[in-house]
């Protein structure tokens, strides 16, 4: 089933579509997804199955015959549970009439961009960035305007607001922010959020804020959210997912929060993209929200340990440039003398038995980096760190 | 949670998006989705829960921890089961490398249109048609060129090929065929398929063929498929779903069949639309394909009975124009003197306690029709037919 050997050039498809490179994370992961000897730190997911209480809620809903079409915006019980979740964690009042349930965080972004973009419009994206955001904009005929993060001498990444605002043109429709940021681990400070909000208001620009990793921070506080500093009528769309907080990557369920009054648009976009999300999966998601706070805490504690292990191990190596992440569960690092993260990732898979994601998967500025996901069993990340250390030592 | 009362005009969104009217089927269904006294024949789904053996396969996969990300094109076992299914039912050889699993039939169409359309391109669509097809084209910046079916004096609908080919311009990118057709029940004859194939080949035009209702025919044979008369390199994309054959509407899983060599494009489009379909749901779909042939037969037998009941009951009324459908499980009819199916559908819901879909939901040419889904318990359709008969008698 390796189709890559049998490709022929497909004429009659738009260059915008057939020119998309295969996702480099999947490209490498597909080489050894089923190999038990590989320590898999490439994909953005933990190594735990979904908690039992969430799976049980799905089974109960299946038994109860929750197998037919439902509301495109999502079942009311789920949108109400989301209202409670946001009040409890962020102390914000988001009415149930501002949520729509989507097939994962990626579909939340797909609908957000569909909702506001015309072909030819520009979207400003700090890079490196999650490849899905970049490709979605291209699929819909928009233009990505990349704004590189800066790396700080002290370690870490920063987004210079002058860089960001300087990229705006008359065609700018959206500023896309992902904080905490995949893959860099950067977290946008609250005062920068205020500045972006005010700038966007003054220009009539939309903010699409991907806040998937809010819980995964390492200073004891949740990452700031645009929801905390905006009004229900601001041009803000927040995208999120059940994947990371509750280990539900394979369930494909997320949500979008839109300004008050945009229900009809998101009702339609849900209808015409996926009709809805599986009915019994939505009932499982209610359980995740209402009974999952302790689980999130345990997951963040596990990530905290994983971060410490991988970062401190590689920090000792003279040829590795380590940026301790402020948020997410990713460690984004570069190796002295490495020109292509893609080639290096393939070598690390083959020679060290560790699956890492090449930074080139994350667009411009990522080529010389590698990404590791540390939201896994500390014993596993320890073994992965040991293998990486041994391999990287030999590269000096 | 009735947001319709609180809408305000949303500025800053494209007219193409905010101008989409709310799906009129859902619009009416949302009025009484939970009302047990209404006989619900509006939505395109049967009244049965998903068969137990399919639900059990999902539960087994959940227990086995199939809850994490998987292949964007779909798990290999499912693509292989689809290969067997197509060989068994249609006697066609479609390699596993030509399938991609999608979040329902609607997402299959969304990806098919994304794969081939540039903004501004034209898509020829026989109408009335499934609204989702029409709106997807609009969302992606394409232009729908409607070609009305003709109604025959003898009853039934027909698609005139001169009408179809005459609608082609230099901007035509796709001819979209849905046979058996929702909502009209029309089935494209095999010789017309051959003519469309040859025409499309000569012009380099794509065919997107929605073949969701192939099993639901009433002459003892499956509806002809474009797969039977094309080569793996033809510009043909076939979309399908698990929803109808196996009562899995609420599961959101379907598939797309693409020309050999387009795997990379559909791998990417799956990745950037939904990443994949829920892993345990895919395992349930394998069970549906491999163990569900008898269930499909029983469902078609049930629909055959439902068709007979509703069509023959209304056929007796002098003010109802009945078109016995050759395929699908829909009955599309008009009432003498009825100008707006939408108003009539609301009245029928209120006064007769029957949920029917307004024909206006299906685009131009549908305004004076109503659609009933008869894939339900014969006792239910009998009661629905009785109520409709009593109501329509009074309209003369």
């Amino acid at each position: 089933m390796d189709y890559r050997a049998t490709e022929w050039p497909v004429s009659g498809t738009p260059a915008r579509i057939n020119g998309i490179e295969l996702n480099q994370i999947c490209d490498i992961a597909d080489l050894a997804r089923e190999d038990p000897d590989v320590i898999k730190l490439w994909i953005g997911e933990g190594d735990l199955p979904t908690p039992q209480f969430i799976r049980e809620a799905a089974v109960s809903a299946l038994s109860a015959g929750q197998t037919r079409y439902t509301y495109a915006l999502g079942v009311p019980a789920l949108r109400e549970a989301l209202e409670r979740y946001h009040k409890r964690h962020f102390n914000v009042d988001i009415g149930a009439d501002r949520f729509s349930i989507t097939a994962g965080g990626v579909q939340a972004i797909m609908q957000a961009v569909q909702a506001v973009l015309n072909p030819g419009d520009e979207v400003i994206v700090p890079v490196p960035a999650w490849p899905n955001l970049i490709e979605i904009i291209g699929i819909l005929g928009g233009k990505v305007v990349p704004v590189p993060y800066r790396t700080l001498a002290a370690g870490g990444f920063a987004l210079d607001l002058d860089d960001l605002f300087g990229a705006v043109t008359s065609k700018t429709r959206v500023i896309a922010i992902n904080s905490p940021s995949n893959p860099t681990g950067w977290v946008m400070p609250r005062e920068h959020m205020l500045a972006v909000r005010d700038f966007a208001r003054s220009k009539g620009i939309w903010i699409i804020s991907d806040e998937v990793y809010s819980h995964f921070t390492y200073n004891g506080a949740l990452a700031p959210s645009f929801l905390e500093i905006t009004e229900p009528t601001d041009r803000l769309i927040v995208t999120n997912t059940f994947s990371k907080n509750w280990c539900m990557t394979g369930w494909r369920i997320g949500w979008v929060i839109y300004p008050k009054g945009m229900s009809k648009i998101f009702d339609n976009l849900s209808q015409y993209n996926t009709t809805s999300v599986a009915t019994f999966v939505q009932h499982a998601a209610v359980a995740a929200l209402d009974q999952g706070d302790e689980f999130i805490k345990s997951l963040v504690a596990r990530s905290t340990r994983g971060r410490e292990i991988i970062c401190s191990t590689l920090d000792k190596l003279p040829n590795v440039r380590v940026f301790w992440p402020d948020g997410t569960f990713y460690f984004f690092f570069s190796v002295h003398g490495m020109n292509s993260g893609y080639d290096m990732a393939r070598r690390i898979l083959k020679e060290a038995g560790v699956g890492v994601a090449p930074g080139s998967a994350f667009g411009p500025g990522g080529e010389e980096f590698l990404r590791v996901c540390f939201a896994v069993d500390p014993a596993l990340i320890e073994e992965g760190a040991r293998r990486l250390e041994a391999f990287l030592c030999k590269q000096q």
Side-chain angles (χ1 to χ4, degrees), chain A:
Chain A
M1 295 263 299
D2 181 8
Y3 61 80
R4 290 180 193 88
T6 63
E7 293 295 322
W8 52 271
V10 173
S11 58
T13 57
R16 177 181 101 256
I17 300 297
N18 68 40
I20 303 174
E21 290 301 321
L22 202 67
N23 186 304
Q24 290 192 9
I25 306 172
C26 298
D27 189 39
I28 290 190
D30 283 350
L31 296 176
R33 270 185 203 267
E34 320 285 351
D35 185 341
D37 295 331
V38 170
I39 294 183
K40 301 177 186 74
L41 309 175
W42 36 32
I43 310 281
E45 66 179 345
D47 59 342
L48 294 174
T50 309
Q52 188 63 21
F53 73 92
I54 298 174
R55 289 190 276 166
E56 277 167 8
V59 173
S60 294
L62 270 172
S63 303
Q66 296 283 3
T67 59
R68 297 171 65 188
Y69 285 132
T70 188
Y71 300 89
L73 286 171
V75 300
L78 179 51
R79 287 181 280 148
E80 288 156 14
L82 278 168
E83 181 174 354
R84 292 192 296 274
Y85 166 85
H86 283 84
K87 182 68 183 174
R88 201 162 68 240
H89 290 280
F90 298 91
N91 194 29
V92 293
D93 294 297
I94 313 292
D97 60 346
R98 293 180 58 199
F99 294 100
S100 182
I101 309 305
T102 60
V106 64
Q107 176 64 210
I109 294 179
M110 178 59 86
Q111 290 186 26
V113 178
Q114 286 175 355
V116 302
L117 205 76
N118 273 312
D121 285 348
E122 294 176 357
V123 181
I124 295 178
V125 180
V127 291
W130 192 36
N132 296 34
L133 168 64
I134 291 172
E135 301 299 356
I136 285 168
I137 294 162
I139 288 168
L140 296 177
K143 188 184 162 201
V144 174
V145 177
V147 173
Y149 290 103
R150 298 185 177 209
T151 52
L152 303 175
F157 294 85
L159 180 64
D160 186 297
L161 291 186
D162 289 336
D163 292 350
L164 190 74
F165 300 154
V168 168
T169 75
S170 62
K171 290 188 171 176
T172 305
R173 190 75 161 185
V174 179
I175 294 174
I177 300 291
N178 168 220
S179 166
S181 144
N182 172 10
T184 64
W186 165 82
V187 175
M188 186 174 240
R190 187 183 161 91
E191 60 271 25
H192 282 203
M193 283 192 165
L194 288 165
V196 169
R197 177 200 68 183
D198 292 344
F199 180 85
R201 278 181 181 167
S202 74
K203 300 279 186 184
I205 292 172
W206 286 86
I207 298 167
I208 295 181
S209 180
D210 176 353
E211 304 191 353
V212 161
Y213 299 98
S214 299
H215 287 279
F216 292 88
T217 55
Y218 303 100
N219 65 351
L222 262 65
S225 166
F226 274 102
L227 294 168
E228 297 162 341
I229 58 163
T230 49
E231 299 298 320
T233 50
D234 269 306
R235 290 186 178 172
L236 169 71
I237 301 178
V238 174
T239 60
N240 218 318
T241 182
F242 286 85
S243 290
K244 315 295 177 178
N245 291 350
W246 298 280
C247 291
M248 293 175 72
T249 49
W251 294 62
R252 315 312 310 128
I253 178 163
W255 69 91
V256 62
I257 302 174
Y258 46 79
K260 198 159 173 62
M262 279 182 81
S263 300
K264 190 185 85 171
I265 288 177
F266 281 94
D267 196 333
N268 279 323
L269 290 176
S270 174
Q271 182 67 235
Y272 299 127
N273 278 278
T274 65
T275 302
S276 66
V277 168
T279 314
F280 53 90
V281 166
Q282 295 196 43
H283 289 281
V286 172
L289 290 167
D290 285 348
Q291 304 164 46
D293 286 356
E294 285 306 312
F295 181 76
I296 299 175
K297 270 191 204 164
S298 70
L299 215 52
V300 174
R302 207 160 176 259
S303 282
T304 305
R305 185 87 189 90
R307 170 178 179 267
E308 179 66 32
I309 293 166
I310 187 77
C311 294
S312 64
T313 303
L314 298 201
D315 217 355
K316 292 181 303 190
L317 301 180
N319 61 334
V320 178
R321 191 168 176 199
V322 166
F323 305 86
W324 287 71
D326 291 327
T328 73
F329 43 61
Y330 303 115
F331 170 49
F332 203 56
F333 64 99
S334 65
V335 180
H336 186 73
M338 174 181 83
N339 298 314
S340 163
Y342 183 74
D343 293 340
M344 182 70 96
R346 291 181 78 110
R347 279 189 58 206
I348 290 173
L349 173 61
K350 201 174 160 192
E351 298 174 32
V354 182
V356 304
S360 49
F362 303 93
E367 299 81 358
E368 299 182 12
F369 288 85
L370 297 167
R371 190 196 74 174
V372 157
C373 169
F374 53 73
V376 297
D377 184 346
L380 197 70
I381 192 81
E382 204 144 349
E383 171 64 11
R386 201 191 55 71
R387 291 189 192 181
L388 278 173
E389 185 182 13
F391 175 86
L392 294 169
C393 272
K394 288 188 290 184
Q395 311 306 315
Q396 295 178 50

